[in-house]
Amino acid sequence: MEILMSLLIGFLFAAAVYLMLSKSLIRVVLGTAVLSHAAHLLLLTMGGLGGTKPPVVADGVTVYDYADPLPQALILTAIVIAFAVTAFLLVVSYRAYQELGTDDMSLMKGNEDE
Amino acid sequence: MYLVLLIFLPLLAAVFIPFLFKRVGKIHTGWFVFAVPAALFIYYLTLISDVMNGGTFIEEFAWIPSLDIAISSYIDGLSLLFSLLITGIGSLVVLYSVFYLDKNREQLHNFYIYLLMFMTAMLGVVQSDHMISLYLFWELTSISSFLLIGYWYTRDRSRFGALKSMMITVFGGLMMLGGFILLYIMGGTYSIRELIPQAAELVNHDFFIWALVLILLGAFTKSAQFPFYIWLPDAMEAPTPVSAYLHSATMVKAGLYLVARFTPIFALDGTWVWLVAGIGLLTLFWGSFFAVKQTDLKGILAFSTVSQLGLIMSLLGVAAAAYHVEDAASTVFKYAAFAAIFHLINHATFKGSLFMIAGIVDHETGTRDIRKLGGLMSLMPISFTIAMIGAFSMAGLPLLNGFLSKEMFLTAMLSIAQFELFSMDVWGFLFPVLAWIASVFTFIYSFYFVFHTFAGKHKPELLPKKAHEAPIGMLISPAVLAVLVIVIFFIPNLVADWLIKPAVVAIQPFLYNSPAEVDVHVSAWHGFQPELFMTIGIFAVGGLLFWKLRKWQKAYKIFPEAFTLNRLYDGMMFLGDTGANRFSRMYMDGIMRNGFVYMFSAMSVLVIATVFLNDAFLVDFSQSAPIGFYEVTIILAMIIGTIVILVTSSRLTAIIALGAVGYSVAILFVMFRAPDLALTQLVIETVSVALFLLAFFHLPKVAKKMERPSFKLGNAIIAIAVGAMMTIVALSAHSQKIIPSISEYYKETVYTLGGGGNIVNVILVDYRGFDTLFEITVLGIAAIGIITMIKLRLKKKEAPHENK
C-alpha cells in the first residue's frame, strides 16, 4: 500500500509543480493547494499505514493495533496552517486582481529600477 | 609601550585638527601639523646610535590576545630608515603644503586629517612585526591615499584616479592578506621575526609558493610595478604635496619595504629572485620608456617614479640571489641590497624635490603642460637650480647622489649576468642590456623635464598666469632635499654607516651579525670598470637622443591606444559593472515562473543525484500494509480529479475538481484510521472551496474562463522530475526505517499521564501543546491579514487608471 501511496504522492507533486509553473495566478494557487494535499499524504504514509484501529483508547485493544497517532497530530497542525496560508493567498490574489486588473503572472513584474 | 603609541601619535593629533581649523583661522593649520612629524623625526633620530650598533627595539600591545593579534612596534635598521623617511619628508611636505594650499579657499582640516592618518598608517606598516596589524595599517594607507587623491572631489579626474588606485591597491592588499594567512598556517605565528628562523622548513611546504606569489602581488600593486603601475599616473590628480609625499617618497615604497622585509623568508626559493628581479627590471624599462611620451610635468614624474621603483625592486631581487650562492659574502650580490637601500634614500630626496618643483611651476604659471612651458630659467632661477639638481641626480650625473647608486646598480646588473644560476647563463644578458637602455631613457626624461620647462623660449601668451618666482617658504622644502642630494654624494659612507648598513642586515641577516660587518664602501671613483664605460655610453647616447627629441617623440603616437593597460583596466571595470548588471538582469527577470524553474530543477537534480550517488535507493515491500480495493478506488478518483484540474479551462471546473481531490483525501484519512483528520479535512475543504469560489468565481472584473492551458514540455519535464524525486525519496525512506517510533510511548501513557482517550487530541493539547498554540497564532495572523487586505485602502496619490 505504501508503494502505491508513494506513486500517488509523486503524481500529486508533479501536478502541483506543473500548476505552479503556469502563468495564471489561480493555477498557481490551485497548485499550492494540491501541493499541501500531497505533503499531508506523504506525512501519513511515512508514519506507516499499518494499525487496525483508530488511535482512540478502547477496551480490548492492544497498543500495537492503533494507527500511529503522531503523524496524525502533525498533519492536523499542517492542515490548519495550510488553510490559513491558502486563505491569505486567495485574498492577496483577489486584491491583486482588483489593483492590477490581470492574473497573468508574466505581467506582474517589479519596478524596472528595483 | 610608548613606541606603539608613537605610531598613533599623528592619528591622535588629527582629532584636534578640525577645532584648530575652525577656531584658529588666522594661522594656517599646517603650522600646528608640522610639529607632529618634526617631533617624531627628531625622536627617531635619537634611535640611530643604538640601531647602527646592531640594537633593535620591540614593543607589543596585545590587541586581541585570544586570537594572538597584537599591534607591535619593531624597530631595526630597515624600519628605522623608513620611519625617518616618513617623518622627515612628512615634515618637509607639511611645510611645503602650508604655502601651497590657501588657508581661505581649501578645506585644510580634511587635508591634514587625511595626511596625519596616512602618517600613522605608514609608520604602522614599517614598524609592524605582526602580520595582521601590518595588513591593517597597509589598508589604512590605501584608504588615506584614496581620500587624498580625491581631495578635490568635485573634479571627475580626481575621483576616477582615487577609485582606480583604491581598486588596484586594495586588490593587492587582499592578496597579501591571503599570503599572510598562509604563512601563519605554515609557521604557526604571525610574527615575522619568528618566521625568519623557520624559513628553511617553510620552503618545502606546499603553500609556500602560494604565499610567495600572493605577498608579491601585494608588494607589486602598492609599489606600482608592471602591470599594476597604471594607478600611479592617475593618482597625480592629488594635490602636489600629496604626490610628493605618498606617490614618490613613502607609500609606493611600502611594497619595496615588504619585499625587503620578507626577503629572508622567501629568497630561499628561486621564484622569488626571478619574479622580483624580472618584474622590477621590466617596470624600470617600461616606466622610463613611457615617461618620455608624457606632456604633463607630474605625468613625467609619475612614470619616472614607476621606473625608479622598478630599479630598486630589481636590486632587491638580485640581493635575494645572494641566498643561492656559496660564499655570498665574497660576491657582489651583497652590494645589491646596499645599492637598493641607497637608491631608495636617494630617490626619496630627489623625487620629492622634483615633485615640489612641479607643484611650484603649476602654482606660479597655472599649467603643468610641458608644451606650454619653457624659458622659465630667468624668471624662476631658484626653482630651476633645484630642479636641475634633482633631475641630474635622477639621470645619474656625477657629483650627485644618483650617480653613486646608479653605478652600484650597474655593477649589480653586470654581475648577475655572469652568474650561472637559475639559467641565468641563457637569459642573464638581458639584465645589463635592459638596465642600460632604461638608463638612457632615464637620462632623456630627466633632461626633458628640466630643459623643456626652464630652457627654450618663454611663451607667456600660453600661460594662464604671469610666471614669477615662488615665495621663499615654498622653496624651503625642495631646497632642503636638493641640498641633501649633494651632501649625500660627498658623505655617502657616513649615511651608509648610520642608515644603510643596519637596513642591509635586516635584508640579508644570514650574512652579517651586526651592521659593522657590512663591508661595503661607496666610492665615487672605481677606476676604469665596465660600469664606467656604460655610464659614459648612457650620457653620450642619452644626450644625442635628447638633442633630437622633437624629431622622434612623435613616434610614440604609433602605439595604438586600444592595447594599453589602461584600456584593459577600463574594460575590466566596465565588465565588472555593466557586465555583472547584465548578467543579473539575465536571470533575475522578475518573472516568478523562472524563479520556480531554477528552484525546482536544482532541487530535483540535487536530491535524485544524492540518492543514487550514495546508493540509498531501495524498495522494500516487507513492512507495507496490504493493498485494499477501496483505497485503490479512491486513489483513482484523486488522480482523475487532479487531471481535471490540469486540463480544464474553466475556473469553476478546476475549483470543483480541487474540492473532489480534497474530499478524496478526507476519505483516505477515514480508511487509514484517522477520524480527527477526516473531520478537519472535510470542514476545511468545504471552507476552502467556498473561498476559492468567492475569490475567483464571483469576482466581477475577471473573466470566468482561464486561458486555455497549453501543454508546455519544459514545465512537464520539471514537474515529472519533482514528482519522481518525491516518490524516490518516499520509497527509499519508508524502506529503510532504522529507529522504532516514539508513538508507543504516547499510546501507553495517554490515559495514565494525559488523562484522555483520544491519543491525537492529547498529543495536540498536552504532549505537544506548543505546536497548537502557535498554529492558533498563525490562524489569527492570517485572519487579521485578510481583514487588513480587504479593509485597508491607502489612498494612492496619482492613480487615475485605478479600477475600482
Side-chain angles (χ1 to χ4, degrees), chain A residues 1-3 10 14 18 21 26 37 46 51-52 55 57 68 72 76-77 80 90 94-95 97-98 105 109, chain B residues 589 592-593 621 624-625 651 673 680-681 696 699 712 719 723 727 737 743 757 759 764 775 789 793 803:
Chain A
M1 194 68 227
E2 276 88 346
I3 292 167
Y18 188 81
L21 288 175
I26 183 172
H37 286 320
M46 290 300 100
T52 52
V57 176
D68 196 342
Q72 297 193 12
L76 199 56
T77 314
V80 176
L90 280 170
Y94 172 85
R95 290 285 295 138
Y97 277 135
Q98 275 192 329
M105 298 282 292
K109 286 168 69 166
Chain B
D589 48 7
M592 202 171 79
R593 185 190 156 268
F621 293 83
S624 302
R651 281 176 207 287
R673 289 160 289 278
T680 318
Q681 179 68 33
F696 290 109
L699 206 66
K712 296 243 173 59
T727 303
K737 281 186 181 165
S743 302
I759 308 179
L764 282 173
E775 165 199 337
M789 287 297 295
R793 288 284 189 278
N803 43 5

Side-chain angles (χ1 to χ4, degrees), chain A residues 53-57 66-69 72, chain B residues 672-676 747 757-761:
Chain A
K53 298 283 179 222
V56 179
V57 176
Y66 295 130
D68 196 342
Q72 297 193 12
Chain B
F672 291 129
R673 289 160 289 278
D676 302 285
K747 291 175 191 167
N758 187 332
I759 308 179
V760 174
N761 285 5

Side-chain angles (χ1 to χ4, degrees), chain B residues 555-589:
Chain B
Y556 279 106
K557 291 193 179 126
I558 297 169
F559 295 104
E561 274 290 315
F563 294 104
T564 56
L565 286 164
N566 283 317
R567 281 297 168 90
L568 185 70
Y569 169 83
D570 292 342
M572 277 162 65
M573 292 304 280
F574 178 79
L575 206 69
D577 186 12
T578 318
N581 198 347
R582 266 189 210 157
F583 179 67
S584 307
R585 279 178 190 282
M586 197 181 75
Y587 71 91
M588 290 174 62
D589 48 7

Side-chain angles (χ1 to χ4, degrees), chain B residues 398-693:
Chain B
L399 296 182
L400 300 163
N401 60 6
F403 173 72
L404 299 174
S405 44
K406 182 136 305 177
E407 291 291 282
M408 301 188 79
F409 166 66
L410 292 174
T411 311
M413 287 300 147
L414 278 173
S415 53
I416 196 161
Q418 294 161 358
F419 219 81
E420 297 193 358
L421 201 69
F422 318 127
S423 62
M424 280 289 180
D425 45 344
V426 183
W427 296 104
F429 75 93
L430 277 176
F431 277 73
V433 169
L434 271 178
W436 188 81
I437 299 173
S439 300
V440 170
F441 277 103
T442 307
F443 185 92
I444 299 168
Y445 72 66
S446 303
F447 275 58
Y448 173 54
F449 176 81
V450 181
F451 290 110
H452 283 219
T453 310
F454 291 99
K457 224 173 77 193
H458 187 43
K459 290 165 261 185
E461 70 282 358
L462 290 174
L463 299 180
K465 285 187 190 169
K466 196 168 148 41
H468 58 80
E469 186 58 276
I472 200 75
M474 211 183 229
L475 288 165
I476 294 172
S477 298
V480 169
L481 289 171
V483 167
L484 277 176
V485 168
I486 301 170
V487 167
I488 291 175
F489 176 80
F490 288 105
I491 53 156
N493 291 305
L494 200 62
V495 177
D497 286 338
W498 284 3
L499 295 172
I500 302 173
K501 287 179 182 178
V504 169
V505 174
I507 302 176
Q508 298 175 324
F510 76 107
L511 282 177
Y512 320 103
N513 289 319
S514 75
E517 289 179 30
V518 185
D519 53 349
V520 179
H521 189 80
V522 190
S523 58
W525 176 251
H526 305 278
F528 290 99
Q529 297 292 328
E531 46 267 42
L532 183 72
F533 296 114
M534 282 176 85
T535 310
I536 293 171
I538 290 167
F539 293 164
V541 177
L544 189 72
L545 283 174
F546 173 67
W547 183 43
K548 295 284 180 197
L549 181 64
R550 295 271 191 230
K551 296 256 191 301
W552 58 271
Q553 201 182 19
K554 293 181 187 73
Y556 279 106
K557 291 193 179 126
I558 297 169
F559 295 104
E561 274 290 315
F563 294 104
T564 56
L565 286 164
N566 283 317
R567 281 297 168 90
L568 185 70
Y569 169 83
D570 292 342
M572 277 162 65
M573 292 304 280
F574 178 79
L575 206 69
D577 186 12
T578 318
N581 198 347
R582 266 189 210 157
F583 179 67
S584 307
R585 279 178 190 282
M586 197 181 75
Y587 71 91
M588 290 174 62
D589 48 7
I591 296 173
M592 202 171 79
R593 185 190 156 268
N594 292 343
F596 277 146
V597 167
Y598 304 140
M599 210 171 76
F600 284 129
S601 19
M603 196 164 69
S604 51
V605 167
L606 281 177
V607 171
I608 294 176
T610 309
V611 167
F612 284 100
L613 286 178
N614 291 314
D615 217 11
F617 181 68
L618 184 72
V619 182
D620 179 15
F621 293 83
S622 62
Q623 298 218 319
S624 302
I627 296 174
F629 171 73
Y630 296 110
E631 284 96 327
V632 175
T633 318
I634 296 299
I635 286 173
L636 283 177
M638 272 178 82
I639 290 175
I640 292 166
T642 314
I643 290 173
V644 170
I645 303 176
L646 286 174
V647 297
T648 182
S649 63
S650 153
R651 281 176 207 287
L652 191 59
T653 317
I655 291 165
I656 300 293
L658 180 71
V661 172
Y663 286 130
S664 315
V665 172
I667 297 171
L668 271 182
F669 285 153
V670 172
M671 288 174 171
F672 291 129
R673 289 160 289 278
D676 302 285
L677 288 188
L679 214 59
T680 318
Q681 179 68 33
L682 274 175
V683 173
I684 284 199
E685 198 55 43
T686 312
V687 179
S688 290
V689 169
L691 269 175
F692 266 103
L693 290 174

Side-chain angles (χ1 to χ4, degrees), chain A residues 2-114:
Chain A
E2 276 88 346
I3 292 167
L4 210 59
M5 286 298 287
S6 297
L7 291 172
L8 171 72
I9 290 159
F11 171 74
L12 287 178
F13 265 104
V17 168
Y18 188 81
L19 283 170
M20 287 167 79
L21 288 175
S22 52
K23 270 197 274 185
S24 155
L25 191 57
I26 183 172
R27 283 169 71 86
V28 174
V29 181
L30 287 171
T32 59
V34 176
L35 193 78
S36 61
H37 286 320
H40 300 155
L41 287 178
L42 179 67
L43 267 175
L44 193 73
T45 311
M46 290 300 100
L49 298 174
T52 52
K53 298 283 179 222
V56 179
V57 176
D59 289 335
V61 181
T62 63
V63 290
Y64 301 103
D65 291 335
Y66 295 130
D68 196 342
L70 190 58
Q72 297 193 12
L74 297 179
I75 295 165
L76 199 56
T77 314
I79 289 175
V80 176
I81 291 175
F83 168 69
V85 174
T86 306
F88 186 71
L89 257 181
L90 280 170
V91 174
V92 170
S93 339
Y94 172 85
R95 290 285 295 138
Y97 277 135
Q98 275 192 329
E99 294 292 326
L100 304 172
T102 178
D103 79 330
D104 190 344
M105 298 282 292
S106 61
L107 299 177
M108 294 186 193
K109 286 168 69 166
N111 206 325
E112 263 307 299
D113 305 322
E114 207 173 346

Side-chain angles (χ1 to χ4, degrees), chain B residues 291-304:
Chain B
V292 187
K293 182 189 178 186
Q294 307 304 313
T295 52
D296 177 18
L297 283 186
K298 283 173 84 177
I300 301 172
L301 292 177
F303 274 91
S304 106

